[in-house]
Amino acid sequence: RRSRVEAQFDAYVILGDEKILVHTQNISMKGVLSSYDPKLTPGADCVLLFVLTKDIRFRIAAHIVRSVEAGTAIDFESMDETAFYHLRNIVRYSSEDADRIDEELETPAFSKKDEAE
């Protein structure tokens, strides 16, 4: 329901006290596909830490949906305004059609019916 764009950079998945380095394959405003690590198990809640520069870093609360050797799919659960701003910029910059990303944000990613299921 959101455009996925190719974007390769490092991020950290924080599971409890453990910080696991992953490499992103693609990203959207709703989730990310990253490299596989056997410690990343489906169903686990986590926090993604993105370190863009020494001074620019942000966190997103997330949930691991799938984790197989081809990659780990992680859905974003919540983020603050700063994280939203940086994520939006990453997705827009990596997209072939940045205006489409903004248009997608005008409508909810999920309907009330989806939330009830």
Side-chain angles (χ1 to χ4, degrees):
R1 298 195 185 158
R2 296 288 188 230
S3 294
R4 286 201 168 271
V5 296
E6 289 188 31
Q8 288 81 33
F9 52 90
D10 293 340
Y12 296 93
V13 176
I14 301 170
L15 286 170
D17 294 333
E18 194 160 10
K19 194 167 152 180
I20 302 162
L21 176 66
V22 295
H23 308 284
T24 66
Q25 297 174 21
N26 63 53
I27 194 165
S28 75
M29 292 300 297
K30 185 64 181 112
V32 66
L33 180 65
S34 74
S35 57
Y36 170 76
D37 186 296
K39 296 174 193 164
L40 303 177
T41 57
D45 290 327
C46 62
V47 173
L48 271 123
L49 170 63
F50 295 90
V51 181
L52 303 181
T53 69
K54 178 182 160 204
D55 298 322
I56 301 174
R57 56 181 53 218
F58 62 95
R59 295 171 183 256
I60 299 176
H63 184 80
I64 300 170
V65 177
R66 180 180 68 253
S67 192
V68 296
E69 287 189 29
T72 299
I74 302 172
D75 274 352
F76 300 149
E77 296 289 326
S78 66
M79 66 189 87
D80 64 19
E81 289 178 22
T82 300
F84 179 85
Y85 171 82
H86 291 301
L87 177 63
R88 179 178 165 267
N89 285 340
I90 289 169
V91 174
R92 287 184 88 245
Y93 179 78
S94 301
S95 174
E96 292 180 11
D97 185 357
D99 291 336
R100 179 176 177 188
I101 303 305
D102 290 335
E103 290 170 7
E104 289 176 0
L105 292 173
E106 292 176 11
T107 59
F110 299 96
S111 68
K112 294 285 185 190
K113 178 184 171 196
D114 293 334
E115 291 174 5
E117 292 177 357

